[in-house]
Amino acid sequence: MEKHPDYHPYPLVEKIKQSPAIDLDIPYDPAWIKGKTVVITGGASGFGAGYVRRWAGLGANVIIGDISVQLAEQLIANVRQDSGNDNVHFVYCNVTDWQSQVNLFKEAAKLSPHGGIDIVVANAGIAGLDGFEEPEKLDEDTPPKPNLKTIEINLIGVLYTTHLALFWLQKNPGSKPAHAKIEPQERPRDRHLLLIGSMASLGPIPAQPLYAVSKHGVLGLFRTLRATCWIHGIRVNLVCPYFIDTPILTAGARLMLAGGAMGKPEDVIEAATRLVADTRIMGRSLYIGPKLKVMEDENGEHQLALKMPVKEKAIWEAFADDYEDSELFGRNIIRLLNSFARIRGWSGWMFDLLKATQYRLTNSKSAWVGK
């Protein structure tokens, strides 16, 4: 939509302490993660196992929370042998069980060499056809409820993880509030929450409405938290993988993608490693897809350049401009509400305060009588 010539943008980047857009051509040092303690839910397979191998190999202390005991224990044994790093541990965790996650974080703090947690990766998730669009027998006396396991793991579980992370990251001994202008080598401790979204966070995914709902929810969580988590000194980032060649990708999805392209796990791990290692990155999200040769045209749009001698690209920044200009409708509504509050002045504030107090007393009395 074309903006009015007198329109002026209203950026909020400085107010929310968001770091600059990520320049993926600038190198970083993955070894910045060395000595940090990382908690990964769903770390026994898929991306999670890839993170464990990479980060343990770089000298991080890694604690896996997963329900797959055999897979996790085998992974731990292999990683310890391959990396020579004994600070890799497994704690049984069912992410849909609040108390199980509570136990994971408590055990992780105990297992951590410095007694705290630097990084939390809310990685646990499932995908697949959920049957939500094919209801059956709902006219019976006791119709079956829909199977919401995808929501319970991918969204409720992530909310549990996030809630605990916001508590434990602030308690991390020796850590300081995240800051976009302090060099990573000067930050041996961290306070970082990495959320795992999906291409389904960015758009619809046919035949998997519950997966799409869950990943849209994770995106909403990220876009909200990155505006406020700086208050607690915590940095929040997000990765959104496309269809990636991992066990979570079903046979049906592979058939649907036949003739196209899938992303590679190593690119997802690379994107996550950059976000985890570089403590300057705050409030940013990376989309990971197939490697493509692209060039920018005169309008700044990316076009395929398959036969051109250009570097392949698999990682892109998503939602980079959210706070470069605040959303116009919301901004106008807030401006109008603030103007209304100013007009009402102190008398209006006192009137509302008295009403709120009266409401609280009345409802408290009603609740007491009801008991």
Side-chain angles (χ1 to χ4, degrees):
M1 183 175 67
E2 189 174 342
K3 292 185 172 68
H4 190 277
D6 294 331
Y7 176 83
H8 297 288
Y10 187 72
L12 296 171
V13 172
E14 289 294 326
K15 286 182 171 60
I16 67 165
K17 314 296 182 187
Q18 186 183 29
S19 60
I22 301 172
D23 186 342
L24 296 166
D25 292 324
I26 295 178
Y28 73 101
D29 187 355
W32 288 331
I33 198 176
K34 183 177 181 180
K36 292 185 170 71
T37 295
V38 187
V39 174
I40 305 174
T41 62
S45 61
F47 300 143
Y51 301 148
V52 173
R53 293 189 186 96
R54 179 77 187 279
W55 300 342
L58 292 167
N61 314 302
V62 184
I63 296 95
I64 299 171
D66 207 299
I67 59 172
S68 302
V69 176
Q70 188 173 352
L71 277 177
E73 290 180 343
Q74 186 61 57
L75 175 65
I76 294 296
N78 292 342
V79 170
R80 286 179 175 175
Q81 182 177 354
D82 295 343
S83 66
N85 181 354
D86 290 332
N87 286 322
V88 187
H89 307 279
F90 164 62
V91 177
Y92 177 85
C93 179
N94 176 356
V95 294
T96 67
D97 184 324
W98 166 250
Q99 196 57 45
S100 186
Q101 287 217 46
V102 168
N103 180 64
L104 168 64
F105 278 80
K106 287 182 178 179
E107 288 299 312
K110 292 177 184 176
L111 290 166
S112 172
H114 77 283
I117 299 168
D118 295 291
I119 300 154
V120 175
V121 183
N123 174 73
I126 61 171
L129 298 177
D130 50 48
F132 188 78
E133 293 181 272
E134 298 174 357
E136 294 180 347
K137 303 178 181 178
L138 300 189
D139 54 353
E140 295 182 349
D141 291 339
T142 55
K145 294 193 301 184
N147 182 353
L148 300 181
K149 187 177 180 181
T150 301
I151 298 294
E152 292 166 0
I153 294 174
N154 295 9
L155 187 55
I156 302 300
V158 168
L159 291 172
Y160 285 166
T161 304
T162 299
H163 194 58
L164 287 160
L166 296 178
F167 176 81
W168 285 96
L169 291 173
Q170 292 182 75
K171 288 171 61 70
N172 187 20
S175 69
K176 296 180 180 178
H179 200 294
K181 295 182 179 179
I182 298 179
E183 295 297 315
Q185 56 267 35
E186 299 176 23
R187 286 295 179 101
R189 303 268 65 87
D190 199 359
R191 300 179 189 175
H192 182 210
L193 171 62
L194 179 62
L195 297 170
I196 310 299
S198 164
M199 64 157 288
S201 298
L202 313 181
I205 179 167
Q208 296 189 46
L210 297 184
Y211 185 77
V213 167
S214 69
K215 291 304 182 179
H216 272 64
V218 172
L219 175 63
L221 179 64
F222 162 71
R223 295 176 80 177
T224 301
L225 289 180
R226 70 172 172 177
T228 55
C229 268
W230 62 270
I231 298 170
H232 311 294
I234 295 171
R235 61 191 191 98
V236 181
N237 294 300
L238 174 78
V239 291
C240 290
Y242 179 67
F243 290 109
I244 307 295
D245 190 7
T246 67
I248 199 173
L249 198 62
T250 64
R254 292 172 187 273
L255 285 172
M256 184 179 69
L257 293 168
M262 290 188 289
K264 299 297 183 183
E266 56 266 29
D267 291 321
V268 179
I269 294 164
E270 170 63 21
T273 300
R274 179 183 284 270
L275 296 177
V276 164
D278 193 340
T279 56
R280 296 167 297 188
I281 300 176
M282 301 174 62
R284 292 293 172 180
S285 58
L286 293 177
Y287 163 84
I288 306 95
K291 278 189 168 69
L292 299 172
K293 286 187 174 183
V294 296
M295 292 182 66
E296 281 192 20
D297 61 22
E298 62 274 12
N299 298 317
E301 297 289 332
H302 285 94
Q303 304 292 341
L304 283 175
L306 300 180
K307 297 182 179 180
M308 301 293 289
V310 294
K311 184 179 177 181
E312 289 184 315
K313 184 172 182 176
I315 304 173
W316 312 72
E317 184 161 8
F319 299 101
D321 302 322
D322 271 6
Y323 290 96
E324 294 295 337
D325 189 10
S326 61
E327 189 268 319
L328 188 59
F329 176 75
R331 189 168 117 197
N332 284 337
I333 289 294
I334 291 171
R335 179 177 56 81
L336 290 171
L337 291 174
N338 287 341
S339 297
F340 180 67
R342 281 194 295 272
I343 291 170
R344 293 186 71 206
W346 283 102
S347 59
W349 178 80
M350 285 296 296
F351 177 76
D352 289 345
L353 184 63
L354 288 170
K355 281 186 66 177
T357 304
Q358 183 183 23
Y359 177 84
R360 183 178 179 183
L361 290 173
T362 303
N363 281 271
S364 296
K365 183 178 180 181
S366 298
W368 183 81
V369 170
K371 291 180 180 179

